[in-house]
Amino acid sequence: MVKYGSMSKLFKRTKILATVGPSVFAEEKLKEMVYAGVNGFRLNFSHGTYDERDEQIRIIRKYAAERGKSVAILQDLQGPKIRFGDVNDNHVDMHIGDEFILDNAVKEQSGNVLPVQYNLAEKVKVGEPISFFDGKVKATIIEIPSATAIKVRIENEGFIMSHKGINLPDTDLGGDIITEKDLADLEFGASRDFDYVAMSFIQSAEDIEKLRQILVSHGSRAQIVAKIETKKAIESDEKMEAIVKATDGIMIARGDMAIEAGAEVVPIVQRKLIKLCRKYSKLCIVATQMMASMVDNPEPTRAEVSDVATAVLLGADTVMLSDETANGKYPIETIKAMKKVILYTQANQNISKVEDEIVGGEYKNYNAVAESAVNLAEKIGADVIIAATKTGATAEALAAQRPSMPMISVTSDPRVAGQLALAYANASFVRPYDDNYAVDLAQDLKASGYLITPEGKDYLTAVLVSGLRDEEGGTNRIEIRKI
């Protein structure tokens, strides 16, 4: 039996994407996450087995169906994780002026020769910077002594441990960002109908096109989320815009971005990317350390609350939890705390208006109709916007306008509903198509208590956006309906 929650004008318009990890592997925990307000689940393919993934997918879809809500599942590819191999005693001290050789051909440490899990010699140049262990140790490449090894000089006191990451802020990976592991994971994912595939270490729009070709070859309809975390990806406004236009969505991965480009650039880049995503009607996810202190503490810091609120005010579609839910002590409390911040922020401050004309969408009339529909809904004080959509484009165009009231989308395609689960202000539902399925859904949701009738009235005011089902670019109708 479906157990709908309830929607009101305080509906959580900015969505929550949560990472699955050891803290929430239990079925009851995943169920709690669905009921606590998670709109999408990130499966990190840097860890875990396919059997574990199958079980997690089953549980997520089971409780999403029980709750009567569409929930997105995102496959996050590992990408070219450049890491150390095993080092002696799991610890190597590094001092200013020390020189180390990082060699892909060795399997264990021997003196100052350290194993690495990627052939850096093929990519780097002498003089380029390199950092280890989340940026804690800085170094410079001073020599390429062999076809598999590089020599570095250490610039500060610190240490590294086995399998810690390596960052190369000025190195061009030359499009070599889809690994053999990623290819196997993509084949697996195509058979599991993921809604999104997130690609790590994007450096250019060409990287996205390569992934799209692979997805098409597997018959996958998953949308691509480009993780923006490299210095190369943000080196110019033109490059960022090209990446946004080429992808279906952006994840602002602020951790590696801060290491590669400097923490001070992150807030400005975040604003630019959200603005571009809104301009082109692309999904925008703000990620990394949003409530990091709640890994160990039951309450967020004031700075973290402000960080989430800022993303909401800028108009991000989605905010993401990483270690907070994957490895934290308080995963459910974190979700509830994030939801509380989103709701309060939206109730007390208007979302920033986008300065540029919204040009996203394949058909120009989608944007014009969406803008008109949202303006109409705002002017008449509508309770809800209802979008009848075949491909999701109508709902995406409406979401790009950042309406101040909730939006319901109805589609006959479960994949479209899953992808719209992370779109701003949108709750998506699957119904077999007929000429009246949008109004029928709204009536059912009102009868169930999901749509709350305003005090003193016995009806809801809805703005319905629809069009001719079998005609390309068919979104051409706006109606005011009493439900």
Side-chain angles (χ1 to χ4, degrees):
M1 179 179 177
V2 174
K3 301 175 183 177
Y4 291 117
S6 63
M7 177 188 280
S8 71
K9 286 196 175 183
L10 289 180
F11 168 67
K12 174 169 57 66
R13 301 192 297 275
T14 297
K15 304 303 185 65
I16 296 174
L17 175 66
T19 302
V20 176
S23 292
V24 293
F25 277 172
E27 180 166 345
E28 189 58 33
K29 284 292 185 183
L30 289 171
K31 176 184 178 180
E32 283 187 75
M33 291 171 77
V34 171
Y35 276 72
V38 169
N39 305 102
F41 288 82
R42 169 180 172 252
L43 305 185
N44 184 357
F45 274 68
S46 296
H47 313 286
T49 67
Y50 290 161
D51 286 344
E52 288 173 338
R53 296 305 181 211
D54 279 335
E55 180 65 3
Q56 290 154 12
I57 292 166
R58 181 192 68 79
I59 294 169
I60 291 166
R61 288 179 173 156
K62 171 184 174 181
Y63 289 109
E66 180 182 282
R67 186 62 166 168
K69 64 188 283 189
S70 294
V71 172
I73 302 181
L74 179 146
Q75 177 186 31
D76 195 342
L77 301 177
Q78 176 175 286
K81 288 290 187 183
I82 305 171
R83 299 182 181 277
F84 287 100
D86 292 319
V87 299
N88 296 340
D89 299 321
N90 196 31
H91 186 100
V92 177
D93 286 315
M94 295 183 167
H95 307 282
I96 297 174
D98 285 353
E99 295 181 1
F100 287 89
I101 292 174
L102 280 53
D103 196 338
N104 181 235
V106 303
K107 299 301 181 186
E108 57 186 33
Q109 178 187 354
S110 177
N112 74 332
V113 179
L114 305 176
V116 289
Q117 299 174 351
Y118 188 88
N119 191 356
L120 298 170
E122 294 180 345
K123 300 294 181 181
V124 304
K125 297 176 182 176
V126 171
E128 288 182 340
I130 186 170
S131 63
F132 316 134
F133 197 176
D134 297 329
K136 294 180 177 67
V137 179
K138 310 285 187 183
T140 299
I141 299 164
I142 59 173
E143 185 181 345
I144 303 176
S146 77
T148 61
I150 66 171
K151 181 183 284 189
V152 303
R153 181 179 292 123
I154 306 301
E155 297 176 355
N156 66 285
E157 303 290 320
F159 68 93
I160 61 105
M161 302 163 66
S162 298
H163 308 295
K164 289 302 176 183
I166 298 170
N167 287 90
L168 302 155
D170 291 350
T171 301
D172 186 351
L173 296 177
D176 185 20
I177 64 170
I178 301 179
T179 67
E180 290 299 320
K181 171 177 167 50
D182 294 336
L183 291 173
D185 290 343
L186 283 166
E187 185 174 359
F188 168 82
S191 67
R192 290 342 187 248
D193 289 333
F194 287 122
D195 300 299
Y196 291 97
V197 173
M199 187 179 191
S200 300
F201 301 105
I202 290 284
Q203 293 191 319
S204 68
E206 288 73 25
D207 294 332
I208 297 163
E209 294 308 320
K210 289 178 182 177
L211 176 57
R212 200 174 297 282
Q213 291 170 14
I214 295 169
L215 289 172
V216 169
S217 72
H218 287 305
S220 172
R221 293 194 292 139
Q223 291 189 346
I224 295 172
V225 172
K227 296 172 68 175
I228 307 300
E229 54 194 334
T230 67
K231 188 176 179 181
K232 288 286 183 182
I234 61 172
E235 61 187 3
S236 70
D237 289 353
E238 293 75 19
K239 197 164 192 180
M240 284 191 284
E241 187 162 11
I243 290 172
V244 170
K245 290 171 71 174
T247 190
D248 302 304
I250 290 288
M251 182 187 292
I252 308 171
R254 303 179 302 176
D256 277 303
M257 186 194 298
I259 295 168
E260 295 219 352
E264 69 279 2
V265 313
V266 173
I268 303 303
V269 169
Q270 176 172 314
R271 281 161 171 77
K272 288 181 176 180
L273 286 170
I274 293 174
K275 181 179 176 181
L276 285 168
C277 286
R278 292 179 64 180
K279 177 180 178 180
Y280 290 104
S281 300
K282 302 299 177 75
L283 179 73
C284 183
I285 303 168
V286 178
T288 319
Q289 295 183 332
M290 299 217 78
M291 289 192 155
S293 70
M294 290 193 73
V295 170
D296 298 303
N297 300 295
E299 296 286 341
T301 67
R302 290 158 185 80
E304 289 163 352
V305 169
S306 181
D307 185 34
V308 174
T310 296
V312 172
L313 292 172
L314 290 172
D317 288 277
T318 303
V319 286
M320 193 179 97
L321 296 168
S322 300
D323 282 348
E324 298 96 330
T325 52
N327 299 298
K329 296 178 182 177
Y330 303 98
I332 308 303
E333 292 85 351
T334 304
I335 294 162
K336 291 178 178 179
M338 178 173 268
K339 181 177 179 179
K340 187 177 179 180
V341 174
I342 294 169
L343 289 173
Y344 186 87
T345 303
Q346 291 176 165
N348 289 279
Q349 181 69 51
N350 292 332
I351 305 305
S352 301
K353 295 295 184 183
V354 64
E355 297 171 11
D356 298 325
E357 179 185 0
I358 295 174
V359 296
E362 185 178 352
Y363 304 105
K364 289 183 179 180
N365 62 309
Y366 278 51
N367 304 312
V369 171
E371 182 179 4
S372 300
V374 172
N375 288 340
L376 174 62
E378 301 277 4
K379 185 165 290 188
I380 68 173
D383 299 298
V384 65
I385 298 173
I386 305 172
T389 183
K390 179 181 179 182
T391 66
T394 302
E396 289 167 357
L398 286 162
Q401 299 291 333
R402 298 301 189 257
S404 61
M405 73 282 298
M407 182 175 75
I408 290 170
S409 64
V410 57
T411 176
S412 59
D413 189 337
R415 169 58 47 74
V416 170
Q419 290 168 343
L420 289 174
L422 295 182
Y424 188 87
N426 181 75
S428 50
F429 295 85
V430 180
R431 290 291 174 94
Y433 176 78
D434 65 44
D435 290 339
N436 208 42
Y437 75 152
V439 173
D440 289 344
L441 170 65
Q443 290 172 338
D444 289 348
L445 294 176
K446 177 177 178 288
S448 72
Y450 181 82
L451 288 175
I452 299 173
T453 305
E455 189 174 346
K457 293 185 178 181
D458 59 3
Y459 64 87
L460 294 162
T461 302
V463 171
L464 173 62
V465 184
S466 60
L468 301 175
R469 177 173 173 79
D470 296 320
E471 179 180 319
E472 287 195 347
T475 298
N476 58 8
R477 184 183 305 163
I478 303 173
E479 302 174 62
I480 301 174
R481 301 290 291 263
K482 291 182 178 180
I483 306 296

